[in-house]
């Protein structure tokens, strides 16, 4: 499956585009996706601890704009947004 | 009555007169317009501006939820609310958010205005990247959004 991870806030620094594509084998979950993003940071950013901390504390949202938990099952190609810690206003 | 919008500064400006026009009505006896603006210092750093990023759809959804919750939590049925937040680069002293409310009485208007800005800070997916005079800009840490 292809997951297009849409980047926001500090996670925009993870790529020069506003998304990262991940290929996931078989059924998966947000928990697995989070691990893959951390692996990506290990690979591309030498395990940058700041990035890892942001990913560990991020939420995720689906294409229909629902915030989903780590247990959310990913069963098809889709866009998922990563929502790092917020602080607007 | 609610107006909720993200203003993309690469396409348009945020306009206070739109807020005042939206909430103007003889049905209400109290109006408050709150502006969030960019401050020149933060944690002993000289700030030159802020770039705001947002998940537009989720932000609008959160504004609507906050508005609807005000009915239940504050019991203010009769009200007019205008919320706009910018995305893009904002210079010192410039506006990042406008919250304009109009209610029958002043106590309701103060409560509602405060409630909205506090909830936006907690729940709306908006991010700030501060820019500094003498160093590279950085994204502010923020607080994790709640998951169900």
């Amino acid at each position: 499956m292809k997951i297009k991870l849409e980047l926001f806030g500090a996670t925009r620094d993870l790529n020069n585009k506003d998304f990262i594509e991940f290929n996931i084998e078989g059924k998966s979950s947000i928990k697995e996706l989070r691990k893959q993003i951390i692996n990506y940071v290990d690979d591309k950013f030498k395990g940058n601890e700041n990035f890892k901390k942001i990913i560990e504390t991020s939420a995720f949202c689906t294409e229909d704009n629902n915030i989903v938990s780590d247990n959310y099952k990913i069963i098809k190609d889709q866009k998922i947004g990563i929502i790092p810690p917020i602080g607007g206003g | 009555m609610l107006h909720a919008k993200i203003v993309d500064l690469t396409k348009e400006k945020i306009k206070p007169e739109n807020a005042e026009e939206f909430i103007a009505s003889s049905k209400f006896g109290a109006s408050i317009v709150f502006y969030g603006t960019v401050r020149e210092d933060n944690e002993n750093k000289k700030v030159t501006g802020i770039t705001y990023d947002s998940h537009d759809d989720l932000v609008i959804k959160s504004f609507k939820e906050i508005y609807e919750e005000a009915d239940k939590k504050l019991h203010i049925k009769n009200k007019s609310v205008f919320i706009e937040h910018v995305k893009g680069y904002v210079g010192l002293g410039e506006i990042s958010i406008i919250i304009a409310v109009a209610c029958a009485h002043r106590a309701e208007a103060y409560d509602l205005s405060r409630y909205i800005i506090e909830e936006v800070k907690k729940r709306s997916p908006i991010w700030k990247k501060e820019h500094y005079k003498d160093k590279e800009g950085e994204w502010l840490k923020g607080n994790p959004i709640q998951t169900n």
Side-chain angles (χ1 to χ4, degrees), chain A residues 4-5 7 11 13 15 20-21 23 25-26 33 40 42 44 46 49 57 59 64-66 69-70 73-74 76 81 88:
Chain A
K4 186 174 183 180
L5 183 74
L7 306 174
T11 63
D13 294 342
N15 203 5
I20 305 171
E21 285 188 329
N23 282 306
E25 297 287 329
L33 177 62
Y40 172 93
D42 283 336
K44 304 275 187 190
K46 297 177 182 171
E49 288 300 326
T57 53
D64 53 359
N65 299 317
N66 286 311
S69 73
D70 270 21
K73 300 291 180 199
I74 301 170
K76 60 181 171 81

Side-chain angles (χ1 to χ4, degrees), chain B residues 28-119:
Chain B
F28 305 119
S31 302
I32 293 174
V33 183
F34 170 87
Y35 301 108
T37 56
V38 174
R39 200 176 59 240
E40 65 183 7
D41 63 85
N42 187 28
E43 295 177 346
N44 297 320
K45 287 175 273 192
K46 290 282 180 195
V47 176
T48 57
I50 295 178
T51 298
Y52 288 87
D53 188 20
S54 70
H55 188 303
D56 298 3
D57 290 341
L58 273 181
V59 170
I60 297 300
K61 186 179 174 185
S62 72
F63 288 173
K64 287 176 181 170
E65 286 170 356
I66 292 165
Y67 173 83
E68 284 162 13
E69 281 174 16
D71 281 351
K72 293 173 195 159
K73 293 192 177 173
L74 303 177
H75 308 292
I76 304 169
K77 298 283 180 199
N78 191 18
K79 60 188 178 296
S80 183
V81 174
F82 177 104
I83 313 173
E84 287 192 354
H85 201 297
V86 300
K87 68 187 289 187
Y89 180 81
V90 183
L92 292 183
E94 293 176 351
I95 296 168
S96 59
I97 185 170
I98 300 176
I99 297 170
V101 303
C103 302
H105 306 289
R106 66 186 183 283
E108 294 175 333
Y110 277 116
D111 287 349
L112 182 58
S113 175
R114 182 67 189 259
Y115 178 78
I116 293 169
I117 185 61
E118 296 302 334
E119 291 301 311

